[in-house]
PDB file of all heavy atoms in Angstrom:
ATOM      1  N   TYR A 195     -15.082 -24.724  19.316  1.00  0.00           N
ATOM      2  CA  TYR A 195     -16.130 -23.782  19.726  1.00  0.00           C
ATOM      3  C   TYR A 195     -17.499 -24.464  19.727  1.00  0.00           C
ATOM      4  O   TYR A 195     -18.316 -24.259  20.631  1.00  0.00           O
ATOM      5  CB  TYR A 195     -16.155 -22.556  18.797  1.00  0.00           C
ATOM      6  CG  TYR A 195     -15.000 -21.605  18.996  1.00  0.00           C
ATOM      7  CD1 TYR A 195     -14.388 -20.984  17.910  1.00  0.00           C
ATOM      8  CD2 TYR A 195     -14.527 -21.312  20.271  1.00  0.00           C
ATOM      9  CE1 TYR A 195     -13.328 -20.103  18.082  1.00  0.00           C
ATOM     10  CE2 TYR A 195     -13.463 -20.435  20.453  1.00  0.00           C
ATOM     11  CZ  TYR A 195     -12.869 -19.831  19.356  1.00  0.00           C
ATOM     12  OH  TYR A 195     -11.835 -18.961  19.523  1.00  0.00           O
ATOM     13  N   ALA A 196     -17.756 -25.261  18.691  1.00  0.00           N
ATOM     14  CA  ALA A 196     -19.048 -25.973  18.632  1.00  0.00           C
ATOM     15  C   ALA A 196     -19.161 -26.905  19.839  1.00  0.00           C
ATOM     16  O   ALA A 196     -20.226 -27.015  20.465  1.00  0.00           O
ATOM     17  CB  ALA A 196     -19.147 -26.756  17.327  1.00  0.00           C
ATOM     18  N   HIS A 197     -18.064 -27.554  20.159  1.00  0.00           N
ATOM     19  CA  HIS A 197     -18.045 -28.498  21.268  1.00  0.00           C
ATOM     20  C   HIS A 197     -18.333 -27.786  22.595  1.00  0.00           C
ATOM     21  O   HIS A 197     -19.207 -28.187  23.361  1.00  0.00           O
ATOM     22  CB  HIS A 197     -16.656 -29.167  21.314  1.00  0.00           C
ATOM     23  CG  HIS A 197     -16.589 -30.399  22.170  1.00  0.00           C
ATOM     24  ND1 HIS A 197     -15.638 -31.372  21.979  1.00  0.00           N
ATOM     25  CD2 HIS A 197     -17.343 -30.834  23.216  1.00  0.00           C
ATOM     26  CE1 HIS A 197     -15.809 -32.334  22.884  1.00  0.00           C
ATOM     27  NE2 HIS A 197     -16.841 -32.027  23.642  1.00  0.00           N
ATOM     28  N   ILE A 198     -17.644 -26.703  22.852  1.00  0.00           N
ATOM     29  CA  ILE A 198     -17.817 -26.022  24.138  1.00  0.00           C
ATOM     30  C   ILE A 198     -19.209 -25.399  24.235  1.00  0.00           C
ATOM     31  O   ILE A 198     -19.835 -25.398  25.302  1.00  0.00           O
ATOM     32  CB  ILE A 198     -16.695 -24.975  24.387  1.00  0.00           C
ATOM     33  CG1 ILE A 198     -16.661 -24.592  25.884  1.00  0.00           C
ATOM     34  CG2 ILE A 198     -16.848 -23.761  23.531  1.00  0.00           C
ATOM     35  CD1 ILE A 198     -15.454 -23.742  26.255  1.00  0.00           C
ATOM     36  N   GLU A 199     -19.734 -24.914  23.081  1.00  0.00           N
ATOM     37  CA  GLU A 199     -21.077 -24.317  23.111  1.00  0.00           C
ATOM     38  C   GLU A 199     -22.114 -25.382  23.486  1.00  0.00           C
ATOM     39  O   GLU A 199     -22.983 -25.148  24.334  1.00  0.00           O
ATOM     40  CB  GLU A 199     -21.407 -23.696  21.745  1.00  0.00           C
ATOM     41  CG  GLU A 199     -22.757 -22.982  21.758  1.00  0.00           C
ATOM     42  CD  GLU A 199     -22.999 -22.168  20.487  1.00  0.00           C
ATOM     43  OE1 GLU A 199     -22.329 -22.441  19.472  1.00  0.00           O
ATOM     44  OE2 GLU A 199     -23.853 -21.260  20.528  1.00  0.00           O
ATOM     45  N   GLN A 200     -21.992 -26.553  22.863  1.00  0.00           N
ATOM     46  CA  GLN A 200     -22.948 -27.618  23.180  1.00  0.00           C
ATOM     47  C   GLN A 200     -22.801 -28.069  24.630  1.00  0.00           C
ATOM     48  O   GLN A 200     -23.791 -28.375  25.303  1.00  0.00           O
ATOM     49  CB  GLN A 200     -22.753 -28.795  22.223  1.00  0.00           C
ATOM     50  CG  GLN A 200     -23.137 -28.425  20.800  1.00  0.00           C
ATOM     51  CD  GLN A 200     -23.323 -29.650  19.908  1.00  0.00           C
ATOM     52  OE1 GLN A 200     -23.714 -30.716  20.379  1.00  0.00           O
ATOM     53  NE2 GLN A 200     -23.025 -29.473  18.631  1.00  0.00           N
ATOM     54  N   ALA A 201     -21.564 -28.088  25.089  1.00  0.00           N
ATOM     55  CA  ALA A 201     -21.337 -28.481  26.482  1.00  0.00           C
ATOM     56  C   ALA A 201     -21.969 -27.463  27.439  1.00  0.00           C
ATOM     57  O   ALA A 201     -22.578 -27.822  28.452  1.00  0.00           O
ATOM     58  CB  ALA A 201     -19.842 -28.604  26.746  1.00  0.00           C
ATOM     59  N   MET A 202     -21.849 -26.203  27.083  1.00  0.00           N
ATOM     60  CA  MET A 202     -22.432 -25.165  27.935  1.00  0.00           C
ATOM     61  C   MET A 202     -23.949 -25.247  27.931  1.00  0.00           C
ATOM     62  O   MET A 202     -24.602 -25.021  28.950  1.00  0.00           O
ATOM     63  CB  MET A 202     -21.967 -23.775  27.477  1.00  0.00           C
ATOM     64  CG  MET A 202     -20.472 -23.529  27.749  1.00  0.00           C
ATOM     65  SD  MET A 202     -20.007 -21.771  27.677  1.00  0.00           S
ATOM     66  CE  MET A 202     -20.318 -21.411  25.966  1.00  0.00           C
ATOM     67  N   ILE A 203     -24.516 -25.555  26.768  1.00  0.00           N
ATOM     68  CA  ILE A 203     -25.979 -25.678  26.683  1.00  0.00           C
ATOM     69  C   ILE A 203     -26.450 -26.912  27.459  1.00  0.00           C
ATOM     70  O   ILE A 203     -27.379 -26.845  28.268  1.00  0.00           O
ATOM     71  CB  ILE A 203     -26.427 -25.747  25.201  1.00  0.00           C
ATOM     72  CG1 ILE A 203     -26.184 -24.390  24.519  1.00  0.00           C
ATOM     73  CG2 ILE A 203     -27.907 -26.130  25.097  1.00  0.00           C
ATOM     74  CD1 ILE A 203     -26.343 -24.407  23.009  1.00  0.00           C
ATOM     75  N   ALA A 204     -25.775 -28.021  27.213  1.00  0.00           N
ATOM     76  CA  ALA A 204     -26.176 -29.276  27.866  1.00  0.00           C
ATOM     77  C   ALA A 204     -26.104 -29.150  29.383  1.00  0.00           C
ATOM     78  O   ALA A 204     -26.915 -29.721  30.111  1.00  0.00           O
ATOM     79  CB  ALA A 204     -25.292 -30.419  27.369  1.00  0.00           C
ATOM     80  N   SER A 205     -25.155 -28.359  29.840  1.00  0.00           N
ATOM     81  CA  SER A 205     -24.987 -28.223  31.299  1.00  0.00           C
ATOM     82  C   SER A 205     -25.921 -27.181  31.888  1.00  0.00           C
ATOM     83  O   SER A 205     -25.950 -26.983  33.096  1.00  0.00           O
ATOM     84  CB  SER A 205     -23.538 -27.825  31.605  1.00  0.00           C
ATOM     85  OG  SER A 205     -23.306 -26.504  31.135  1.00  0.00           O
ATOM     86  N   GLY A 206     -26.641 -26.469  31.030  1.00  0.00           N
ATOM     87  CA  GLY A 206     -27.525 -25.424  31.522  1.00  0.00           C
ATOM     88  C   GLY A 206     -26.836 -24.090  31.768  1.00  0.00           C
ATOM     89  O   GLY A 206     -27.471 -23.112  32.149  1.00  0.00           O
TER      90      GLY A 206
END
Side-chain angles (χ1 to χ4, degrees):
Chain A
Y195 287 141
H197 195 156
I198 197 171
E199 184 171 20
Q200 293 196 30
M202 291 197 295
I203 291 169
S205 68

